[in-house]
Amino acid sequence: SLEVTGEQFNTQYIVWPISYNMDKEKSLLLKKWMYTSVSNATLDDLSYKYFDVKTCPLGLAGLNCDKNCDPRQGTSDRDGKCICQSSKWTGEDCSIEVEEDLKLYPDWEVYLAYGLFAINTLACLLCFVWVHLKRETRLVKMWQPFFLKFILLGCFVSSASIIPTTQQSEGYGPVHGCLVFPWLYCIGCSITLGTLLSKIFRVYRLFQAASRAQRVMITARETLLMIFGITIVDVVVIAVWTGVAPLQWKRTITSTDHFGQPLSSVGYCTSNYWKVFVTIIVTWH
């Protein structure tokens, strides 16, 4: 058989064994029927119906081949239906391209993240104002406004890391949020944890001095130096991370059609040594 632009041209060779003992008249009639069938295409019709089904010419589809079928993306089957050659294309005539699933954050998730950050910011601001206004009261003095304000500052900075995580790209970047996120998160956590640790250390020194019947004074400068010392470790680790192998936006294709055309992909922030630096930060924290 020969196939040219989707159309088939077939020549059928038929072998029909006839017994030598058959009556000559019947044999003659049978041969006459065979020649007549071939000449008026009866056997060709039977062959196309049961063996080699006729298909519509390239670019056409439908039972009567009266519908369009994109010749670049689809072909007609035996029932006249336009069959797309790739899942990248769809529609009755295979002319509609299926967009790549980029797996981006939906708008409602982004707005939810902004909303949560706004709520946290408002809560930190209200608490900061309340602590400042009540700084002379006995209860707030006991908890020390200086430490409370630093804890609120650390919470605000770390929660601000929500904003860069919502940044994304439909392609291969760049996404600057990948670089900003570790700085905000780690510095915010360092300020909060450093403040709590310095508070605990201050109470420890006070109890230790009391057990010896001694008087000790811990200045705000000493507390700030402790917080600064804890925070500077995170700053050095993040600076080295940014200089050696900064987080960059990467898009990985997760599925393709049989022609290699991408159907879905996912984007994320990554770097060569992110596991090493994350382990160091988690251990330190």
Side-chain angles (χ1 to χ4, degrees):
S1 64
L2 175 65
E3 183 174 344
V4 180
T5 65
E7 302 181 49
Q8 294 184 349
F9 301 87
N10 299 321
T11 301
Q12 304 294 332
Y13 298 94
I14 300 177
V15 178
W16 200 321
I18 299 177
S19 175
Y20 285 106
N21 300 325
M22 181 179 292
D23 183 75
K24 291 184 178 181
E25 185 177 356
K26 293 181 179 179
S27 175
L28 180 62
L29 292 173
L30 181 59
K31 291 177 181 179
K32 184 178 179 181
W33 173 79
M34 291 174 60
Y35 289 125
T36 304
S37 298
V38 171
S39 63
N40 65 13
T42 302
L43 291 181
D44 287 341
D45 290 340
L46 293 174
S47 173
Y48 281 127
K49 181 177 181 180
Y50 295 103
F51 302 103
D52 299 309
V53 180
K54 292 180 180 179
T55 57
C56 294
L58 192 65
L60 296 176
L63 294 177
N64 299 319
C65 299
D66 55 351
K67 297 181 180 179
N68 293 326
C69 182
D70 195 320
R72 297 169 299 176
Q73 315 300 340
T75 55
S76 175
D77 64 0
R78 62 182 296 165
D79 298 322
K81 183 179 180 181
C82 185
I83 304 299
C84 302
Q85 298 180 5
S86 167
S87 52
K88 184 75 174 174
W89 298 89
T90 185
E92 294 184 356
D93 57 353
C94 297
S95 62
I96 302 176
E97 184 177 3
V98 178
E99 295 185 1
E100 179 183 348
D101 184 8
L102 300 175
K103 300 187 183 301
L104 299 174
Y105 294 131
D107 292 339
W108 70 267
E109 287 189 4
V110 177
Y111 295 145
L112 178 61
Y114 289 158
L116 293 175
F117 172 69
I119 292 173
N120 188 78
T121 301
L122 181 61
C124 291
L125 181 61
L126 292 176
C127 291
F128 188 91
V129 172
W130 184 86
V131 170
H132 182 74
L133 295 177
K134 301 292 184 179
R135 63 186 182 278
E136 298 298 333
T137 60
R138 182 173 177 275
L139 182 62
V140 176
K141 273 188 174 182
M142 183 177 63
W143 287 98
Q144 297 174 316
F146 173 81
F147 289 102
L148 296 177
K149 290 178 180 180
F150 260 86
I151 291 175
L152 290 172
L153 175 62
C155 291
F156 168 75
V157 174
S158 60
S159 65
S161 62
I162 296 176
I163 302 302
T165 58
T166 60
Q167 296 184 12
Q168 50 192 344
S169 171
E170 295 182 357
Y172 295 89
V175 175
H176 301 295
C178 293
L179 292 175
V180 177
F181 169 75
W183 284 94
L184 292 176
Y185 180 77
C186 292
I187 292 177
C189 286
S190 295
I191 294 174
T192 302
L193 297 177
T195 303
L196 293 174
L197 183 61
S198 62
K199 173 70 173 178
I200 294 173
F201 181 72
R202 182 172 182 171
V203 172
Y204 169 76
R205 290 186 60 183
L206 291 174
F207 274 96
Q208 191 179 42
S211 65
R212 300 173 183 172
Q214 296 177 349
R215 184 176 181 180
V216 63
M217 178 178 292
I218 303 174
T219 63
R221 182 176 179 275
E222 293 178 322
T223 305
L224 284 174
L225 287 175
M226 180 174 292
I227 297 174
F228 177 79
I230 294 174
T231 304
I232 198 64
V233 174
D234 275 279
V235 172
V236 171
V237 173
I238 298 301
V240 173
W241 187 1
T242 303
V244 174
L247 287 173
Q248 295 179 342
W249 182 261
K250 180 180 180 182
R251 180 163 292 279
T252 302
I253 297 175
T254 56
S255 64
T256 61
D257 62 6
H258 58 277
F259 293 112
Q261 295 295 323
L263 298 177
S264 64
S265 60
V266 60
Y268 51 92
C269 296
T270 186
S271 67
N272 293 333
Y273 305 106
W274 70 268
K275 293 182 179 180
V276 176
F277 290 100
V278 169
T279 301
I280 295 173
I281 293 171
V282 171
T283 303
W284 173 244
H285 288 176

